[in-house]
Amino acid sequence: MNFDFSDDQKALRNQSRRFLETACSMQRLRRILDNNEATYDRELWKSIAEQGWLGACIREEHGGLGLSHLELCVLSEELGRVLAPIPFASTVYLFAEALMLAGSEDQKLSYLPRIARGDLIGAVAGDDWIGSIIPLAQNRRTSFDNVGVTAQDCRLNGIKSAVIDGGIADAGIVLAREQDLLSLFIVNLNAKGVARKKVRTLDPTRDCAQWQFGEVLAERLGRPGQGSKILETVFDKAAVLIAFEQLGGADRCLEMAGLYAADRYAFGKPIGSFQAIKHKLVDVFVKNELARANCYFGAWALNTNAIQLPIAASAARVAASDAFWHASKENIQTHGGIGYTWESDCHLFYRRACLLSTAIASPEIWKERLVSHLEYQAEE
Amino acid sequence: MDFEDSEDEANYRAVVRTWLEANVPNDANGKHRRGVEGSESLRSARSWQARKASAGYACIHWPREWGGPAGTPIQSVIFHQEESKFVTPPNPFHIGLNMSVPTVLAFSDQKTRERFGFSAMNGDEIWCQLFSEPSGGSDLAAARTRVRKTQDGTGDWIINGQKVWTSFAHIADFGLILCRSNTDAPKHNGLTMFWVDLRSQGVEVRPIHEMNGSSTFNEVFFTDVRISDNQRLGPVDGGWKVAVQTLMNERLQSDSSGADWIDVLKMARRLPSIYGKSALQNPAVRQQLAQWYIQSEGLKHTRNRVITALSRGHTPGPENSIMKLVRASQMQDLSHAAIEIMGRFGVVDEAGGPEERSLFQDSLMWAPGLRIAGGTDEILRNIIAERVLRLPRDASHDKS
Ligand SMILES: Cc1cc2nc3c(=O)[nH]c(=O)nc-3n(C[C@H](O)[C@H](O)[C@H](O)COP(=O)(O)OP(=O)(O)OC[C@H]3O[C@@H](n4cnc5c(N)ncnc54)[C@H](O)[C@@H]3O)c2cc1C
């Protein structure tokens, strides 16, 4: 049995944790939070590009480091711990993965090296309403009503209304309705006919925007009609990686709450000696451990491209979304009044927990995806 | 990262598998029963244990000084993984072999080790653990069962008092017993540990009828039971440390019996629900199934992480501590939900009905015990909070 990260991967974890402690402190995060104009931490983006993180899983001939997805999982967990205010998930887990999965060699050569260098931010817009786009195992129907954008002769028209990192992205991958098919297109977001509008969200430390297309000339990604099939796999992969971010955030909440509970006195005793607090934090710990185990299985499935990936990804996403939400709310509770202030960092985790659990369809939808796969598997 | 055995592990597994195929008795019916019912099932339990012992598959990681095969913890895990794929006789030995006997062997001389190690490992003698008392199980250090040194120059001790909830005492030969030796000292400093022969004069075992109808635990009364000083384990008044060490003998081969998500899924697929659909099409059932699945998978892969640590020769981290806490409540909730899916037929306790029904009913009726036995949910949370999360000690932690 070898169900753990390797020593090298653990060394990468320690090293990136040390780096992020200063490069992505809470003070830096607050600069994004408190400045309406700033949309991401450019300096951090530049320095992780220099370290190769943006191209971690991109093959060397496409300008990346050619590492495995396990290394990327390690980095995701660390970025999640510090709530990194950068478009890492959009660019790396979604945009780059979609290109690597479905792009032509020319497209890979054109986009991937720029991503790895930190010169191109990407974002992906699938459905335009609740994440009903993810087709279910047996019932491979996708509603056309939620797509928002139509395509004809590679010209796009319509709206994608809340694209995470959409305001700072240079290029977008867009799911569009092409007659009775769903297809993917790559769009230069600075091209003529693209109008972008900032969208405010509960988490101001991450960018979000509306995209409006009027006769925008786009480039096809994958074959016509393959759109939701490609996105399904991309979302499965991203679900595992985002789950590691959620896990990192959830662990950090538990650490914050534990430290505070040991220091803060009430009724002459540290509040951490009260069982109501203790048991609450143990419940957080339990959810975090269950999430960690599911994330690890997801990492294995992602890395080996196992047929269990849809099940493993769904389980990781559901467990990690639940863990992060629970940890972030109980962290505030443990802090009492100070936890409810803008000055306290607690709410930053609470906000990010909401952003991540809704980012690529909500857990409820992933639970349904999970069970329909289990049902299918049990029949065989 | 993978699930592969190392070369040594794979070889060991192959040998074990071949051995099991050739040796598992084909009349075994351990199923999901916890207890040992009747002398026939005890006889088959003993003979299976002896067969394992003679092949070096009992107490695999016990050292040679204890008469064990001195295998590695990972070999022990592999054997149990493989053994659990077969239907084997019930196992009334595990409390003794995992908890009581290691303490006896660790704290006694070579002669005592030779006397007890092999016969316990071989299933000839059964050991129980006499810790809990009517006055307290969670608060173990409050034990009142009194032990006094005789004044006749023999050095012998006399025990008076009562233990309770003692699993398998009705079929046990010996027990590990925690006694109050000093009533003046603070409670943790007035305890002494002994082993005791349950056939001694003055010991009376009375089975207790459990809420699920079976009888695996007992009351044990001690009236002027005389024992010799060489039955003492650890120093006089130093029994608390010995007790803590016993409780630390964590069991890795966690119990995989009982109802799980797959049983609910399979049954829900066949049974009708509202609007003429199957219960499995009910969104509420599906959402719950997803939740139970991530719990079971979470536990399975947590166990895989623990096994990985062992395989790499490391000590496992604290993750193991969540196992029973999660599983007991999950089993309870899931079997209850399954009963409700069956409607009033879920409570009917007759032959026939959905084939999974008796499994859910057994799990439902065992789960409350599992949430209490070996440390209640609340006590486990206290322990995790203090040992793993390093929170300050419980305000109620009295040292008096
Ligand atoms: C099936 C089964 C098998 C058993 N086998 C054995 C055996 O072989 N040998 C043996 O010695 N014992 C055995 N026990 C006993 C078991 O260890 C005790 O029942 C258990 O430790 C609880 O002790 P208690 O019954 O005295 O309950 P109490 O300690 O009185 O607890 C009652 C309730 O109060 C709660 N409580 C107590 N203290 C605290 C605290 N500090 N903080 C928060 N809540 C608290 C408990 O969680 C519980 O909910 C067995 C029990 C069962 C159910």
Side-chain angles (χ1 to χ4, degrees):
Chain A
M1 182 69 66
N2 181 31
F3 187 60
D4 195 359
F5 290 99
S6 68
D7 287 345
D8 282 353
Q9 286 154 354
K10 287 179 182 171
L12 174 67
R13 171 187 299 164
N14 293 338
Q15 183 197 326
S16 46
R17 185 168 300 184
R18 255 179 282 121
F19 163 73
L20 288 171
E21 261 160 29
T22 47
C24 189
S25 62
M26 283 291 145
Q27 289 89 315
R28 290 191 63 91
L29 183 65
R30 281 184 174 273
R31 279 197 230 158
I32 307 295
L33 179 75
D34 292 331
N35 175 350
N36 268 336
E37 302 312 310
T39 41
Y40 73 108
D41 188 334
R42 288 166 197 275
E43 237 174 279
L44 177 62
W45 190 249
K46 206 167 144 253
S47 57
I48 66 164
E50 278 159 13
Q51 298 186 58
W53 293 11
L54 294 172
C57 289
I58 295 174
R59 304 221 313 248
E60 280 164 285
E61 65 263 36
H62 297 139
L65 294 181
L67 299 173
S68 81
H69 278 91
L70 294 179
E71 277 82 8
L72 188 54
C73 289
V74 168
L75 296 176
S76 304
E77 188 176 344
E78 295 309 313
L79 289 165
R81 278 180 67 86
V82 296
L83 304 179
I86 49 174
F88 193 79
S90 308
T91 306
V92 177
Y93 316 156
L94 293 168
F95 191 92
E97 289 291 342
L99 269 164
M100 291 193 279
L101 186 73
S104 67
E105 190 56 27
D106 281 350
Q107 285 172 328
K108 289 180 190 168
L109 281 170
S110 147
Y111 290 101
L112 296 176
R114 282 192 278 159
I115 290 174
R117 283 199 305 271
D119 292 342
L120 184 131
I121 293 174
V124 172
D127 61 325
D128 200 44
W129 190 228
I130 49 168
S132 48
I133 202 76
I134 303 180
L136 304 172
Q138 296 152 304
N139 181 9
R140 293 190 171 274
R141 263 186 299 123
T142 309
S143 162
F144 289 124
D145 307 338
N146 300 331
V147 177
V149 172
T150 56
Q152 192 157 23
D153 302 329
C154 285
R155 288 191 181 273
L156 306 186
N157 282 289
I159 287 181
K160 292 288 185 187
S161 42
V163 186
I164 294 173
D165 299 318
I168 54 179
D170 304 293
I173 290 175
V174 175
L175 183 74
R177 178 172 181 181
E178 198 175 28
Q179 274 122 25
D180 56 352
L181 299 175
L182 288 174
S183 308
L184 288 176
F185 296 88
I186 308 176
V187 184
N188 173 358
L189 294 167
N190 299 312
K192 202 166 136 270
V194 180
R196 287 197 262 182
K197 205 165 75 191
K198 186 176 172 73
V199 172
R200 280 194 311 255
T201 72
L202 283 178
D203 183 2
T205 62
R206 288 289 295 277
D207 176 64
C208 186
Q210 185 202 68
W211 294 345
Q212 187 168 3
F213 302 120
E215 288 296 307
V216 177
L217 189 60
E219 184 185 333
R220 193 180 281 290
L221 178 68
R223 286 201 308 276
Q226 271 196 321
S228 49
K229 181 118 187 25
I230 296 168
L231 274 194
E232 187 183 354
T233 308
V234 171
F235 277 16
D236 274 343
K237 294 181 168 196
V240 175
L241 294 160
I242 291 174
F244 271 93
E245 287 195 10
Q246 292 169 310
L247 178 65
D251 276 341
R252 189 82 183 284
C253 289
L254 179 58
E255 288 165 23
M256 286 168 71
L259 288 175
Y260 191 77
D263 275 358
R264 169 75 181 172
Y265 275 66
F267 302 94
K269 300 184 191 91
I271 57 163
S273 65
F274 299 125
Q275 286 193 350
I277 297 290
K278 273 196 172 135
H279 290 194
K280 179 199 298 304
L281 297 187
V282 169
D283 290 342
V284 171
F285 172 74
V286 166
K287 279 189 193 280
N288 288 6
E289 289 307 305
L290 292 176
R292 191 180 328 281
N294 280 290
C295 281
Y296 278 34
F297 186 58
W300 170 81
L302 171 63
N303 191 48
T304 54
N305 217 353
I307 48 163
Q308 293 98 324
L309 181 63
I311 287 180
S314 306
R317 173 140 182 86
V318 172
S321 298
D322 185 30
F324 194 14
W325 161 243
H326 185 245
S328 71
K329 77 185 164 81
E330 298 310 329
N331 186 29
I332 298 177
Q333 184 67 18
T334 304
H335 278 74
I338 191 79
Y340 189 63
T341 62
W342 190 263
E343 278 67 36
S344 153
D345 292 332
C346 296
H347 70 111
L348 302 177
F349 290 86
Y350 193 71
R351 292 171 182 281
R352 183 62 63 83
C354 290
L355 184 89
L356 293 184
S357 76
T358 54
I360 46 164
S362 294
E364 197 192 337
I365 290 159
W366 287 89
K367 281 185 195 169
E368 177 52 43
R369 174 168 167 75
L370 172 61
V371 175
S372 56
H373 274 278
L374 293 175
E375 200 180 344
Y376 183 68
Q377 192 182 55
E379 260 161 34
E380 293 197 327
Chain B
M1 181 184 280
D2 55 54
F3 299 94
E4 304 303 319
D5 285 329
S6 71
E7 203 182 317
D8 285 350
E9 289 162 9
N11 291 339
Y12 185 79
R13 191 183 297 279
V15 172
V16 161
R17 201 173 283 167
T18 314
W19 184 85
L20 284 166
E21 272 157 14
N23 286 280
V24 171
N26 45 22
D27 60 341
N29 64 354
K31 288 237 315 228
H32 43 261
R33 297 255 169 244
R34 195 167 57 91
V36 183
E37 277 133 30
S39 57
E40 183 51 30
S41 101
L42 182 57
R43 194 199 53 75
S44 73
R46 284 192 201 277
S47 88
W48 176 230
Q49 186 66 23
R51 202 178 286 185
K52 287 192 283 185
S54 68
Y57 293 133
C59 308
I60 288 170
H61 62 279
W62 277 15
R64 294 247 181 264
E65 309 88 87
W66 295 6
T72 60
I74 195 77
Q75 289 177 337
S76 174
V77 168
I78 290 171
F79 183 83
H80 288 288
Q81 284 174 339
E82 294 303 318
E83 186 188 21
S84 69
K85 294 175 186 162
F86 293 82
V87 177
T88 52
N91 183 344
F93 312 105
H94 63 267
I95 293 182
L97 295 179
N98 290 303
M99 314 272 284
S100 310
V101 183
T103 297
V104 174
L105 301 183
F107 286 90
S108 53
D109 56 22
Q110 193 54 32
K111 216 177 110 205
T112 313
R113 287 181 189 149
E114 278 162 19
R115 164 65 188 80
F116 291 121
F118 177 78
S119 59
M121 186 170 73
N122 208 43
D124 299 336
E125 289 167 344
I126 296 177
W127 283 74
C128 63
Q129 181 180 309
L130 298 146
F131 283 13
S132 303
E133 298 190 7
S135 62
S138 303
D139 188 6
L140 209 53
R144 292 181 186 169
T145 294
R146 194 72 173 93
V147 67
R148 282 196 186 77
K149 193 148 206 166
T150 55
Q151 301 302 321
D152 59 8
T154 56
D156 288 354
W157 298 79
I158 304 284
I159 301 178
N160 276 290
Q162 185 198 343
K163 294 289 177 179
V164 74
W165 323 129
T166 317
S167 299
F168 301 114
H170 58 301
I171 52 170
D173 304 279
F174 299 96
L176 183 68
I177 184 167
L178 185 64
C179 301
R180 170 80 36 209
S181 46
N182 186 336
T183 49
D184 299 329
K187 69 178 185 182
H188 292 85
N189 301 336
L191 298 163
T192 305
M193 189 75 84
F194 295 89
W195 62 261
V196 59
D197 185 338
L198 290 186
R199 281 154 313 198
S200 309
Q201 180 82 31
V203 178
E204 189 194 345
V205 178
R206 290 189 205 148
I208 300 174
H209 200 187
E210 290 171 29
M211 68 161 262
N212 69 354
S214 65
S215 255
T216 41
F217 61 27
N218 306 268
E219 297 178 282
V220 186
F221 296 87
F222 295 85
T223 314
D224 293 329
V225 177
R226 192 177 184 101
I227 57 173
S228 89
D229 190 51
N230 64 22
Q231 289 174 244
R232 177 163 51 80
L233 302 164
V236 175
D237 293 347
W240 179 243
K241 272 208 170 121
V242 184
V244 169
Q245 183 166 332
T246 308
L247 298 174
M248 301 271 256
N249 292 334
E250 258 182 281
R251 288 193 297 144
L252 259 183
Q253 58 272 35
S254 63
D255 190 2
S256 57
S257 64
D260 210 337
W261 63 272
I262 185 75
D263 305 303
V264 181
L265 187 149
K266 286 184 170 160
M267 185 184 78
R269 200 167 47 192
R270 299 192 316 268
L271 295 188
S273 176
I274 43 180
Y275 310 129
K277 294 179 169 174
S278 79
L280 188 54
Q281 284 167 294
N282 178 347
V285 172
R286 297 174 81 81
Q287 298 277 312
Q288 281 184 309
L289 266 173
Q291 214 59 50
W292 297 323
Y293 176 80
I294 66 164
Q295 285 174 333
S296 293
E297 284 291 293
L299 294 182
K300 175 169 130 195
H301 294 305
T302 298
R303 197 171 307 122
N304 286 336
R305 293 178 57 215
V306 170
I307 295 171
T308 300
L310 292 176
S311 167
R312 293 182 183 178
H314 303 161
T315 315
E319 53 277 349
N320 204 23
S321 58
I322 68 170
M323 294 288 181
K324 188 183 82 105
L325 185 59
V326 173
R327 174 62 180 148
S329 281
Q330 182 219 31
M331 188 201 284
Q332 188 166 39
D333 293 346
L334 164 161
S335 48
H336 179 249
I339 300 275
E340 291 193 339
I341 287 174
M342 290 180 265
R344 71 180 183 286
F345 298 102
V347 297
V348 170
D349 188 9
E350 300 278 350
E355 57 177 302
E356 298 88 353
R357 183 165 69 191
S358 69
L359 174 66
F360 289 126
Q361 291 184 344
D362 286 350
S363 294
L364 181 83
M365 301 311 279
W366 163 231
L370 189 57
R371 289 184 60 192
I372 294 166
T376 64
D377 285 2
E378 291 75 20
I379 294 299
L380 290 181
R381 284 194 173 87
N382 287 348
I383 292 174
I384 295 172
E386 290 170 16
R387 303 227 184 105
V388 182
L389 305 183
R390 304 265 165 223
L391 290 174
R393 301 219 90 175
D394 197 330
S396 70
H397 213 92
D398 77 305
K399 289 273 173 191
S400 56

